[in-house]
Amino acid sequence: MIRALRSVPWWLALLCLALSSIEPIVHLAIAYFPPEGSVHTGLHTPDSMFFLLAMRMFETDLYSPFATCQSALGDSGLPFYPLPFHWMYGIFGAIGRLLHLPVFQYFAWINAAGFLAYCAAVYTLYRVVSPQNANRAMTIFLVGGGLGGVLFVITGVMGLHDAPDFETNFGRFARYQLLEGATLLPALQAGRLYYTLPRALGVAAIALLVIATRRKSMRGTVLAATVLASSTLANMNLGVMAFIVTMFYLVFGSSAEARFRLSAAGLLFVATAGPWAFSFWMVTQSPTYLEDARVNAAQALWFGPLVCASLFHVAASAPAIRRTMPALPLIGRSLVAGGAGYLATFAVLYLGFQAYWGNWVAGGDYGAAVAVSDWSLLGGIAGVSWIVSRHRGLLPLPDSPFKREEKDTQVGWIVIWLLAFVCVGISAFGQGWFLRLTPTRFGWMLGPPLALLAAIGLSHIAESRPRVARTLFATLVLCGTTSILVSAFYFIGPWGRQPGEGLFAGSHCEYMTEADASMLAEYNGGVFLAPAQGSPYFGDVIAMRPNAKVIYGLGTYDFSDQMMTDLGPRVDRFYSPLTTDDERRDFAREFCVDWVYCPDTVPVATETIEQLRQTTWLRQHVEAGRGVLFSVSIEPQEDY
């Protein structure tokens, strides 16, 4: 691996460093250059509160500000930090405190380091698998993109950003190309260390396994298994996915003798199963997380936005996939043909579903997946049947026009990796039953194989049509670079924004108004209730303060004793102008509320505020702008 990293060209290293600097630069801008009339909330993206809170878990003895007075588990302990990556963040947080580093900036630095580690692992894999295509593949991996950024710029120039439904309609195209998180562009994943570091370890384990099997080194295999175990411990889902890829390699990519491959498979299984079982045990300690995740994370990859994000990758990859087919054994060819048949059928039925319901812009991807996944299996069966029939001579079709070369035999397992993960990721088998397994997470590992196959495919295209290859490569880079710039300035970065305003405001929680900051300065402890809508969630903002107690925020998902899917609607009901005073009073009594907050950044309905002012058990503590902070004062005989 060290030898592979030493071969990185200077311009590629500089590109990785430039992309890794986005997070630190954005965090500096957020903290020290807020817009006029705004104050930093202490957060960046909505999800950053999970990571920042976990970073101080050891300092606070595993205290959870989201534990309610109904908790039978108290307000601290393992059940409130049930995910292994919480502990990863906790370790980094402890290191930062020992070094007396500013938490918000340090958070950006470790994110940048995780991104660089991921880049190093992916480049190593490319150098090991296809050294002649490594540099081009890495360029596509880093800055190869789809139409999202270009479409955002074009619609802006046309003045469509002010259209009433623009955010709703365009959001699906931004999903995998502009919004930070699980996208194909690694720069947009850099804010999530629990993505980048486990992926770095998982991809490194795959690369180490390839090296070890070529050398027939069991010591190298043990090293690969150790790294894979670390990946699984850091993120149980990504570790399992990396394990699946190692099995694809051992079955379809390795030429080592069967005994060695079986031994390696057993070792890798144990290295994955042990940490996974421990991680699952940790998750089960939470009273709510598994059920909340079953409801909130039950999603598949959205097919339309995925195609929009990977359109040029797929066009470039097609020759590589086609040339690989003859080099695979029968079972491998059957998997590729079955996957291709499934995807082709899915695409046709998806287009029919969207045409029938008229969902070309507005969406419908969830309903389409539920409607067509089961029927698309017929296409997969047809693909497998076609390959088997050819193998048995029942269909005397001509052989592939492409010459079988050694370099083609080395990437067959990469093709299977890509097709298998796409097919699983977009599916909602059993009329949606399969969604409880959260197939959308398979999209987390699509970037590396897609970029490598695109690079190999471009080299094949260049053999006969070099101008087409250059144009396609330039299109990939131009579109990807545009998406990264648009995302860095508008979606990840807060430039030109005012708190709670603008398109995709729900993706931003960096700032609140000065009115909110002045009111929250009055909070001096006690149980704090804030609305369950808008961004930022002020429950999350208060939760970052020492010894705070809040009823609801995004942090409820991971750190509470209450089901997020149950508590959120109840908080919405509390702030609804249709709710009676008795209902609000009962809720406040049940959850021991000391403060009721109506923010200025994301205002509550004026009618609701007037109703709260008229109650006998609330006292207006402070008012600023459109917001009000109430203190709760229930009579002694009704005290809780």
Side-chain angles (χ1 to χ4, degrees):
M1 287 188 68
I2 301 299
R3 184 181 304 171
L5 293 177
R6 286 176 178 171
S7 65
V8 178
W10 66 269
W11 56 269
L12 198 53
L14 190 62
L15 179 59
C16 291
L17 288 171
L19 294 174
S20 71
S21 69
I22 293 175
E23 273 287 301
I25 291 173
V26 169
H27 276 231
L28 283 171
I30 290 171
Y32 297 109
F33 301 99
E36 185 177 354
S38 303
V39 177
H40 182 211
T41 61
L43 304 173
H44 178 195
T45 65
D47 283 359
S48 61
M49 71 83 44
F50 294 108
F51 319 135
L52 290 167
L53 192 63
M55 286 177 69
R56 70 182 196 191
M57 60 186 286
F58 297 127
E59 179 186 8
T60 61
D61 294 327
L62 278 63
Y63 171 75
S64 171
F66 292 92
T68 71
C69 62
Q70 299 293 320
S71 173
L73 303 169
D75 56 16
S76 63
L78 173 61
F80 297 108
Y81 293 88
L83 301 177
F85 71 74
H86 290 153
W87 295 70
M88 177 185 73
Y89 280 103
I91 292 170
F92 280 110
I95 295 172
R97 282 192 303 277
L98 287 174
L99 299 176
H100 303 287
L101 298 174
V103 175
F104 191 67
Q105 303 307 324
Y106 172 61
F107 175 52
W109 299 338
I110 61 174
N111 285 339
F115 171 80
L116 290 174
Y118 184 34
C119 291
V122 171
Y123 185 76
T124 299
L125 179 65
Y126 290 166
R127 289 289 300 179
V128 169
V129 174
S130 183
Q132 67 273 24
N133 292 294
N135 292 341
R136 178 181 284 178
M138 194 66 189
T139 304
I140 295 173
F141 174 71
L142 291 172
V143 294
L147 294 169
V150 173
L151 289 175
F152 189 80
V153 173
I154 292 174
T155 52
V157 172
M158 296 174 63
L160 298 178
H161 289 183
D162 296 327
D165 296 327
F166 178 80
E167 181 173 335
T168 300
N169 294 335
F170 188 80
R172 60 201 299 265
F173 298 103
R175 187 177 182 91
Y176 300 130
Q177 301 175 76
L178 300 175
L179 299 175
E180 69 85 30
T183 71
L184 294 180
L185 289 166
L188 275 58
Q189 305 163 10
R192 296 172 180 257
L193 186 66
Y194 81 110
Y195 282 0
T196 55
L197 186 56
R199 283 179 184 174
L201 293 169
V203 174
I206 297 167
L208 288 168
L209 178 66
V210 174
I211 295 170
T213 53
R214 288 178 181 174
R215 297 175 178 175
K216 297 180 175 55
S217 169
M218 188 53 66
R219 181 179 298 178
T221 306
V222 170
L223 177 59
T226 303
V227 176
L228 181 60
S230 301
S231 174
T232 309
L233 198 58
N235 189 311
M236 57 193 295
N237 297 306
L238 286 169
V240 170
M241 292 176 200
F243 168 75
I244 293 172
V245 175
T246 61
M247 295 300 104
F248 288 154
Y249 171 71
L250 288 175
V251 175
F252 302 110
S254 174
S255 59
E257 60 182 14
R259 179 177 298 179
F260 182 90
R261 286 185 287 162
L262 284 173
S263 299
L267 185 60
L268 292 165
F269 175 79
V270 172
T272 306
W276 188 91
F278 176 74
S279 298
F280 185 76
W281 172 82
M282 286 184 62
V283 171
T284 61
Q285 302 309 295
S286 169
T288 61
Y289 181 80
L290 279 177
E291 184 61 22
D292 260 338
R294 186 187 68 80
V295 175
N296 292 312
Q299 300 178 23
L301 291 170
W302 289 10
F303 186 73
L306 182 63
V307 170
C308 182
S310 61
L311 181 64
F312 302 118
H313 295 80
V314 173
S317 301
I321 296 173
R322 188 178 180 187
R323 285 200 183 194
T324 298
M325 283 286 285
L328 286 168
L330 175 61
I331 186 172
R333 297 198 304 275
S334 299
L335 288 174
V336 172
Y342 176 82
L343 289 176
T345 308
F346 190 101
V348 171
L349 295 177
Y350 172 88
L351 291 173
F353 182 92
Q354 298 293 69
Y356 180 81
W357 292 104
N359 287 332
W360 297 114
V361 176
D365 292 89
Y366 172 86
V370 172
V372 310
S373 293
D374 294 334
W375 291 104
S376 299
L377 290 171
L378 296 176
I381 295 172
V384 173
S385 300
W386 178 73
I387 287 295
V388 172
S389 297
R390 285 195 62 187
H391 180 75
R392 293 183 175 180
L394 301 178
L395 293 176
L397 298 177
D399 291 331
S400 169
F402 298 111
K403 181 181 178 181
R404 175 173 173 171
E405 300 180 11
E406 180 64 25
K407 62 183 181 182
D408 295 322
T409 68
Q410 297 175 356
V411 296
W413 63 282
I414 300 287
V415 173
I416 294 173
W417 171 4
L418 175 64
L419 288 177
F421 278 41
V422 171
C423 290
V424 172
I426 64 174
S427 298
F429 301 123
Q431 293 298 293
W433 176 92
F434 189 67
L435 294 176
R436 67 184 61 194
L437 302 180
T438 61
T440 186
R441 288 173 174 159
F442 280 84
W444 294 354
M445 291 286 280
L446 292 181
L450 190 56
L452 179 58
L453 291 174
I456 296 173
L458 287 174
S459 68
H460 292 327
I461 295 172
E463 293 172 2
S464 57
R465 297 178 179 178
R467 184 174 298 177
V468 173
R470 288 194 298 268
T471 301
L472 188 52
F473 178 70
T475 302
L476 274 164
V477 172
L478 176 63
C479 289
T481 302
T482 304
S483 292
I484 291 171
L485 291 174
V486 169
S487 181
F489 281 96
Y490 195 85
F491 288 84
I492 295 176
W495 282 275
R497 285 187 171 273
Q498 292 296 321
E501 299 178 4
L503 292 172
F504 299 95
S507 301
H508 293 267
C509 61
E510 305 96 340
Y511 298 124
M512 57 184 165
T513 63
E514 290 180 341
D516 276 319
S518 65
M519 288 187 288
L520 295 184
E522 299 292 319
Y523 173 75
N524 56 8
V527 180
F528 187 90
L529 175 65
Q533 300 295 329
S535 187
Y537 281 66
F538 279 91
D540 294 335
V541 175
I542 286 292
M544 298 308 301
R545 304 189 178 195
N547 302 314
K549 281 187 173 292
V550 299
I551 297 297
Y552 186 85
L554 282 183
T556 302
Y557 194 176
D558 284 12
F559 305 117
S560 180
D561 59 290
Q562 300 292 315
M563 284 281 296
M564 188 179 193
T565 48
D566 294 337
L567 188 56
R570 295 190 64 186
V571 174
D572 288 337
R573 179 70 179 168
F574 182 95
Y575 283 95
S576 168
L578 302 178
T579 304
T580 66
D581 183 66
D582 286 341
E583 288 179 90
R584 292 192 179 109
R585 190 188 189 102
D586 291 342
F587 182 88
R589 179 183 294 111
E590 180 181 355
F591 289 102
C592 312
V593 177
D594 296 306
W595 302 92
V596 174
Y597 190 53
C598 301
D600 175 62
T601 302
V602 188
V604 171
T606 302
E607 186 179 353
T608 297
I609 293 177
E610 291 305 316
Q611 292 172 0
L612 294 175
R613 282 181 171 139
Q614 295 171 13
T615 62
T616 59
W617 51 278
L618 287 178
R619 295 177 182 173
Q620 182 170 311
H621 186 78
V622 64
E623 178 181 8
R626 297 168 294 178
V628 185
L629 176 62
F630 296 95
S631 62
V632 177
S633 179
I634 294 181
E635 297 299 327
Q637 64 268 24
E638 300 172 315
D639 201 2
Y640 41 76

